[in-house]
Structures are given as C-alpha cells and as structure tokens.
Amino acid sequence: MSRVSVIGAGYVGLVTGVCLAEKGHDVTVVESDANKLARIRAGEAPFHEAGLSELLTRHNGRAFRATASVEDAVSDTELTLIAVGTPFDGKTIDLTAVLTACDEVGRAMRRAGRYHVVVVKSTVVPGTTVGPVRERLIAASGLEAGSGFGLGANPEFLTEGQAIDDFMHPDRIVIGGIDERTLGALETLYTGFAGVPIIRTNPSTAEMIKYASNSLLAAMISFSNEIADLCSAIGGIDALDVMRGVHASAYLTVPSTNGVRLQAPIASFLEAGCGFGGSCLPKDVSALVAHGRARGVEMGMLDETMSINRMRPARVIEHLKRGVGSLNGKRVAVLGLAFKPDTDDVRESPAFPIITKLLEEGATVSAHDPIANEPARRVLGNAPVRFADSLSDAVAGADAVVVVTRWKQFAALSELVARMSPAPLVFDGRRMLDRAAFPRYDGIGL
Ligand code: NAD
Ligand code: UGA
C-alpha cells in the first residue's frame, strides 16, 4: 500500500484518486477549485463519468479524501502525482498550473523534511519533467533531485467516457524515473495491476510516448477524413465501404479461436467524421508541432493533421448547402454537443465551430445533447441558439439535422423523421445511422 497524493481533481486526477483507493492505496486528492472540492467532499462526482460516483461513495472519507491543502497532502503521503491541466495557448504548452503545483509541492517537501517522490501525470512535452519541473522543485524545496526527492513521469492513457474502466484495466503503464528509487516507488504504486505491461524508462521518453500515442490517433482520423472527402468529390464511392475494406486487412484484425478475424480496436480511429475534439488530441498535437518547431524540426505531417481537422466544420456546411441550398433562414438542428459520446465534456467539441458557421450563414439553430446542454450553453454564452431538452424537440420543424456526436440515443432519429412532413435532410457527421431509414440522407464520405 502506498500513501499517495494527487494534485488536481479533474478527469485524470479524480479518476486516478478513486481508482488507486479501490486498488488499496491511501489517497489524498488536492483540488484548488472550492466548488469542485465541496462537491467531491460531499461524495458528488463533479462531472459525468461511468462508475465514478460509485467509487467516490465507496471510498470517500475512508481510503480517499479531498483537501485544498497541498501541504497536508504531501506531509501525509510518500508520493505525489501532479494531474493538473496543460492547455495549449496557441504558441506553446501552458505549464503554469504544473509549475505552480511544483512550487506548492516543493514548499511542502521543505517543511516535511523527508524524501518524497514527485511524479508528473499531466501530459507535458518531452523534457518538461527533467527541465522546468525539476528546477522549480529544487528551488521551492531546497532539496536535490535524487538524494532529496524522487522525480518521474507517468502519463495517463485513459479515454473519457470509459475512464474508470481504462484506469482499472489499462493496456500499458508507462513509468519514467530519474533513478531506481523513483521507479521502485512507481512500481509499488502499480503492483495491483498484474499482467499489464509496464514500460520502464526515463521521464522524457515517457512524455514522448504519450504524445506519439495521441498524435498517431489524430493522424489516423485526419487520414480517414481526407480519404472521405475525396470519396465525396469523386461520387459513387462510399467512404464507409472503403474503410470497411481497409479495416479487413490482416494488419488491422486479429484471428479469433473460431477462425473469424476480429477487428483491432485501433480501427475505431479510422472512421471519417466531422473532426476530432476534446481536451487532448487537438492540444497535444498542436503542442508537439510547436515543440518540434522550437527545436528546428518541422512536423509537417502533424501540422497537416491539424489543418485537415480545422477544415471539418466547413466540409459539414458544404454538404448541408448541397442538400438544402442557402442556409439563410433555414432551421438546422445540431445533435451532439459533447466532444464524444458518454461524457458531458464539451472542450474543443466540433459542434461549436459548426454552430458558429451555421449562425454566420443565417441559419436558425436548435441544439441538443443527452447530457451536455448545460456545459455547452456556458461555452456559447449569448449566441442565439435554442437548447432543446429532447431529441424530438430539437428536430421539430427542422429543414436539416446534423449529427455531430455518436450518441447511441440518436438512433431514434429515424422514427422521429418518419413522422415529419416535409422530411428534413439528415446529415450524418459520424456515419452512425442507417441511411436507408431516411428519405433525405447525406453523410461524411458520401
Ligand atoms: P482538468 O482541467 O479536468 O482538471 C485539472 C484540475 O486541476 C482542475 O480541477 C483544477 O482546478 C485543478 N488544479 C489546477 N491547479 C491546481 C493546484 N495547484 N492545486 C490543486 N488543484 C489544481 O484536466 P484533465 O482533463 O484532468 O487533464 C489533466 C492532465 O491530464 C492534462 O495534462 C491532460 O492533457 C492529461 N490527460 C487528460 C486526459 C483526459 O481524458 N481528460 C487523458 C489523459 C491525459
Ligand atoms: C484520447 C485518446 O483516445 C486517449 O488514449 C488519451 O489518453 C486521451 O485522448 C488523452 O490524452 O486525454 P479522448 O480525447 O477522451 O481520448 O477521446 P477519443 O475517443 O480519442 O476521441 C477524441 C476525438 O476524436 C473525439 O472528438 C472523437 O469523436 C474523435 N474521433 C475518434 C473521430 O473523429 N474519428 C475516429 O475515428 C475516432
């Protein structure tokens, strides 16, 4: 059992905290947002994530506690995971929150006066842990890295919507440490994950593994979108059929015991759509490109991955205009505001640029998400968008309907549209619907 503190109770920090408690560790989570902290302390999950409330209820006040005090957390524990946000500010990764946390942890280590291991779990560009993080910790603690404190990087690979399951059953655990003592402390932390491959390396390599992993996923999505656009331009080719053929490759399938080849999960990133969003893929790819440029390495492929992604909303608008003509005065229902299904996270959701473009074109927009209407309303502020509480309310009277997020609830659209006269154009931005079920259907890659 390790006594561990986690700085930042966001998607990664809170999930990590409750899951490590479930694995038998003693966990103190530190959160600086008073409102979020109060909700966590009351046993209430501050965001939607399957299974989070249950684990919080089970461990809160027992193996898991939340505090605002970094000092208390560090003095009660032997290892600290830093899991605060690392946004991209348009030019470079913004390390303000990470370095502020380092200052606080460093000062707390100085007061505790004993060896402590500090591990960066946030996604940070390669060189950050042994560079600015190490410097700030030394300055704040007055201790030497290695002899006075341990230092490591332990990137997180969970995906929102299935974060608890991903953390409890990871595909890999990547631990980077400056020395054996740090790596040993991290191995102890992860002893409860028998059978999971542990990649033991230095901190910068661990950081790079995280960026390379997300960049690969983003590149595959943009690749699929580029192919889909060409299919649409040529005509008579459905990108969905093309990708089905590509997915069948032995490179992308594994043989099962009964001889049938099963699709490898990576194929789920070879699906054309209206673009990747979220708090990670766009910011991580942009940060890596900027990091490369600062070191004289032009990351052309990843730069283009982002350019293709930025063009997705315009492609959706082109398709809509092809279907209904000018959008001026047309009523358009936008379905799906979360950046992906099963989450209420709307950060960098493709729905926002699509809605903005629709409004610029003079359309009247109604929007609906099964659980993310409120967070989306906060982002859109005073924009003239009508938020509908139900799918049927959202599409009532619509000239066109755009599916942006692959929520399974949207399968009910066929029945709703069947009762509408005239039928709206249904534009399937995720190719998730049965096209034969709609009188007027268009989609990405058609
Ligand atoms: P988040 O914004 O949801 O959470 C960060 C939390 O840290 C916030 O609640 C904030 O109030 C708190 N915080 C900031 N500074 C603090 C401080 N000094 N003391 C205490 N609390 C502080 O962010 P997130 O989505 O959990 O992402 C965190 C990191 O993990 C990022 O680097 C991200 O790239 C990476 N990551 C995220 C995911 C994901 O799915 N969200 C997956 C893998 C990796
Ligand atoms: C992603 C990675 O999948 C995780 O492995 C990683 O840990 C995480 O980023 C992170 O570093 O934070 P996440 O952003 O939660 O996870 O969600 P994804 O399932 O990867 O989806 C990202 C976006 O890509 C969504 O907007 C989704 O709709 C889009 N997408 C996904 C596509 O447009 N096409 C696809 O084929 C797949």
Side-chain angles (χ1 to χ4, degrees):
M1 191 266 279
S2 303
R3 286 175 306 144
V4 50
S5 48
V6 183
I7 315 291
Y11 286 85
V12 168
L14 185 55
V15 167
T16 299
V18 295
C19 288
L20 288 176
E22 176 77 2
K23 287 283 185 185
H25 298 294
D26 193 68
V27 182
T28 305
V29 157
V30 185
E31 175 53 54
S32 57
D33 178 325
N35 179 37
K36 208 181 247 187
L37 178 63
R39 291 177 69 181
I40 295 167
R41 279 181 152 164
E44 188 194 329
F47 48 85
H48 176 89
E49 196 57 63
L52 177 59
S53 293
E54 289 79 354
L55 285 188
L56 192 55
T57 306
R58 189 178 310 157
H59 298 293
N60 198 22
R62 288 173 281 274
F64 174 96
R65 69 202 68 79
T67 174
S69 166
V70 173
E71 186 175 352
D72 289 355
V74 169
S75 73
D76 285 349
T77 57
E78 56 220 9
L79 184 146
T80 293
L81 296 169
I82 296 178
V84 299
T86 48
F88 179 70
D89 69 8
K91 286 200 183 84
T92 177
I93 179 177
D94 179 356
L95 289 175
T96 308
V98 170
L99 297 180
T100 303
C102 290
D103 293 342
E104 292 166 350
V105 172
R107 284 196 294 270
M109 289 195 307
R110 184 191 284 269
R111 282 189 284 267
R114 61 183 158 72
Y115 181 86
H116 191 87
V117 178
V118 185
V119 176
V120 178
K121 195 170 233 332
S122 301
T123 304
V124 292
V125 289
T128 303
T129 299
V130 296
V133 163
R134 177 190 180 125
E135 279 165 30
R136 292 289 273 262
L137 286 169
I138 291 173
S141 68
L143 301 168
E144 271 313 307
S147 55
F149 63 91
L151 182 62
N154 166 223
E156 180 51 56
F157 295 91
L158 64 78
T159 154
E160 287 180 32
Q162 52 186 60
I164 299 283
D165 196 47
D166 281 353
F167 193 96
M168 296 303 278
H169 308 102
D171 48 6
R172 67 204 122 158
I173 293 169
V174 176
I175 54 173
I178 58 162
D179 54 17
E180 279 303 312
R181 194 171 175 189
T182 302
L183 287 164
L186 279 166
E187 276 170 348
T188 304
L189 185 67
Y190 288 111
T191 39
F193 294 81
V196 178
I198 294 199
I199 296 156
R200 221 176 180 271
T201 183
N202 62 48
S204 300
T205 306
E207 291 163 341
M208 191 66 183
I209 290 170
K210 175 66 195 173
Y211 278 92
S213 300
N214 274 2
S215 296
L216 174 66
L217 300 179
M220 288 174 74
I221 297 169
S222 280
F223 161 80
S224 311
N225 286 333
E226 194 168 76
I227 295 288
D229 286 350
L230 183 59
C231 293
S232 294
I234 295 172
I237 304 175
D238 184 345
L240 209 63
D241 293 337
V242 172
M243 281 309 175
R244 207 170 287 137
V246 173
H247 289 169
S249 150
Y251 295 124
L252 294 168
T253 53
V254 283
S256 70
T257 42
N258 65 6
V260 176
R261 296 192 75 87
L262 301 174
Q263 201 171 83
I266 188 71
S268 72
F269 285 89
L270 285 168
E271 285 167 0
C274 43
F276 57 81
S279 67
C280 292
L281 297 192
K283 89 155 161 62
D284 291 349
V285 177
S286 304
L288 195 63
V289 170
H291 196 55
R293 198 163 286 148
R295 273 147 196 78
V297 180
E298 278 301 320
M299 316 264 310
M301 195 188 88
L302 293 181
D303 206 12
E304 196 52 30
T305 294
M306 289 308 300
S307 304
I308 292 169
N309 200 51
R310 278 190 289 271
M311 287 305 294
R312 300 320 291 157
R315 289 279 176 277
V316 172
I317 302 297
E318 279 167 25
H319 272 273
L320 283 177
K321 283 182 169 172
R322 216 160 59 196
V324 301
S326 165
L327 290 166
N328 196 12
K330 297 275 165 41
R331 287 161 300 183
V332 182
V334 174
L335 303 182
L337 302 167
F339 82 96
K340 64 183 281 190
D342 304 318
T343 179
D344 57 356
D345 192 346
V346 298
R347 292 180 284 184
E348 301 285 322
S349 170
F352 298 129
I354 290 172
I355 288 173
T356 304
K357 282 192 183 303
L358 286 169
L359 293 173
E360 281 165 8
E361 295 281 339
T364 303
V365 177
S366 62
H368 169 70
D369 189 282
I371 60 172
N373 273 8
E374 279 317 308
R377 201 194 297 268
R378 287 195 287 274
V379 172
L380 286 167
N382 294 328
V385 173
R386 183 175 72 83
F387 286 90
D389 287 335
S390 67
L391 190 60
S392 56
D393 183 23
V395 302
D399 299 298
V401 176
V402 188
V403 175
V404 179
T405 313
R406 193 184 284 273
W407 280 104
K408 59 180 180 309
Q409 287 89 328
F410 298 160
L413 204 54
S414 54
E415 278 172 34
L416 286 173
V417 168
R419 293 199 291 269
M420 290 169 73
S421 179
L425 170 75
V426 172
F427 181 76
D428 189 349
R430 294 292 170 190
R431 297 304 304 275
M432 59 170 283
L433 302 168
D434 173 10
R435 58 190 285 202
F438 298 93
R440 295 170 68 207
Y441 177 94
D442 188 13
I444 292 288
L446 270 180

